[in-house]
Amino acid sequence: QGLAQGVGDLKRVLSNVKSRGSFGEVQLAALLEQVLTAEQYAANVATRPGSSERVEFAVRMPGRGDAGDGAALRLPIGAKSPTEDCERLRAAQEAADAGAVAAAGQALETRIRHEARKIREKYVEPPHTTDFAILFLPTEGLFAEVLRRPGLTEALNREQRVVVAGPTTLFALLNSLQMGFRTLAIEQRSVEVRELLGAVKTEFERFGEWIGKVRTQVATVSKTLEDADTRTRQMQRKLRSVEALPADRAARVLPPVIGDDG
């Protein structure tokens, strides 16, 4: 009885349109938070300039600085939960009612087409966004039912530029995007390193010029010192025949320089 009551409560929650929408958004938010960083996506984003329509989430795409107006290039992702259409289809399948199965399947396909068209019209606006968007279905069962409709996902991609994704599919897509983020970060760091090495090379060439100038100046000073030493020895040879004066008389002839301790 407790299990039946719990299942009934869950069914009442999921039968509410607002609760289903919140459930889909929570699922989508959990996937984005698990794979991407907070700077790589945003919630409730107005992707079309001048429009008040806001998509549930938008991923900031790697590889582009901005879309020409200062806004980053975004990938819109809308969460939809047409649970009642899927439940009617399953009920018809369990009852083996071919007519009801066909009607419920057509209703589900019509609903998915309608949601995809709304996403394209409200949120897709190149070059401010990518030229496609993602319609996220929060359960694998619902996603599987959509995939069973012959040609539906291909038509949505071709006609509406909307990609349908379930939890597993979106997880794989987000991981691919994350790899793109990492590759772009590596490329950007490579450019920075290359620029740094170029600057160091330029400065090192100038440093070589400075070393050459210092070497020349040192050589000049060394040559001057050698010339002074040679001249000193010449003067000493000339002064050998001169009798040296006593210290006191020498001090009177050549008074010491102020501060000289000698």
Side-chain angles (χ1 to χ4, degrees):
Q1 290 177 353
L3 178 61
Q5 182 178 359
V7 172
D9 293 339
L10 178 61
K11 185 175 181 181
R12 283 192 296 273
V13 170
L14 294 180
S15 64
N16 183 274
V17 175
K18 184 176 181 179
S19 298
R20 288 200 309 272
S22 300
F23 172 70
E25 291 183 20
V26 169
Q27 285 280 88
L28 179 54
L31 283 173
L32 291 169
E33 183 179 358
Q34 183 177 356
V35 180
L36 304 179
T37 64
E39 294 77 16
Q40 294 170 341
Y41 70 95
N44 298 320
V45 181
T47 56
R48 301 187 67 176
S51 174
S52 61
E53 299 290 348
R54 294 181 175 271
V55 68
E56 286 88 345
F57 292 93
V59 176
R60 179 167 183 161
M61 295 297 289
R64 284 277 302 273
D66 55 73
D69 61 348
L73 181 68
R74 305 282 186 176
L75 168 60
I77 305 178
K80 304 298 177 183
S81 301
T83 308
E84 66 280 2
D85 296 300
C86 186
E87 290 297 330
R88 281 195 291 267
L89 177 59
R90 290 179 179 175
Q93 291 171 343
E94 292 175 358
D97 187 340
V101 168
Q106 186 59 44
L108 176 61
E109 180 174 337
T110 301
R111 175 71 179 278
I112 294 297
R113 288 181 180 273
H114 175 68
E115 297 294 351
R117 184 170 59 253
K118 287 201 305 183
I119 288 177
R120 178 184 61 81
E121 293 174 351
K122 290 182 177 180
Y123 311 129
V124 178
E125 186 70 19
H128 307 286
T129 69
T130 56
D131 63 348
F132 70 98
I134 295 177
L135 191 160
F136 173 68
L137 301 176
T139 65
E140 295 294 349
L142 180 58
F143 179 57
E145 291 294 345
V146 172
L147 290 181
R148 289 192 183 99
R149 306 300 301 173
L152 176 57
T153 56
E154 293 82 358
L156 295 179
N157 191 8
R158 182 179 61 256
E159 299 170 4
Q160 305 295 342
R161 304 298 296 167
V162 171
V163 177
V164 181
T168 302
T169 306
L170 183 62
F171 183 80
L173 176 60
L174 293 177
N175 271 287
S176 299
L177 289 178
Q178 182 62 277
M179 290 300 297
F181 279 110
R182 293 175 182 174
T183 302
L184 179 62
I186 292 173
E187 291 177 354
Q188 290 176 341
R189 296 298 299 175
S190 299
V191 172
E192 293 177 5
V193 170
R194 185 168 61 251
E195 291 179 351
L196 177 60
L197 291 176
V200 171
K201 180 181 179 181
T202 301
E203 291 298 321
F204 191 76
E205 292 175 354
R206 296 176 60 188
F207 181 74
E209 295 176 359
W210 296 334
I211 292 296
K213 293 179 180 179
V214 171
R215 184 184 298 112
T216 301
Q217 293 173 358
V218 169
T220 301
V221 172
S222 177
K223 181 64 169 58
T224 303
L225 291 175
E226 291 178 358
D227 293 342
D229 185 59
T230 300
R231 190 61 176 170
T232 299
R233 289 195 297 270
Q234 291 175 353
M235 288 188 294
Q236 287 176 345
R237 285 195 296 269
K238 295 294 185 181
L239 293 174
R240 285 174 185 173
S241 59
V242 178
E243 182 180 357
L245 292 177
D248 55 347
R249 292 182 61 187
R252 289 195 298 270
V253 175
L254 294 176
V257 179
I258 298 177
D260 188 359
D261 295 333

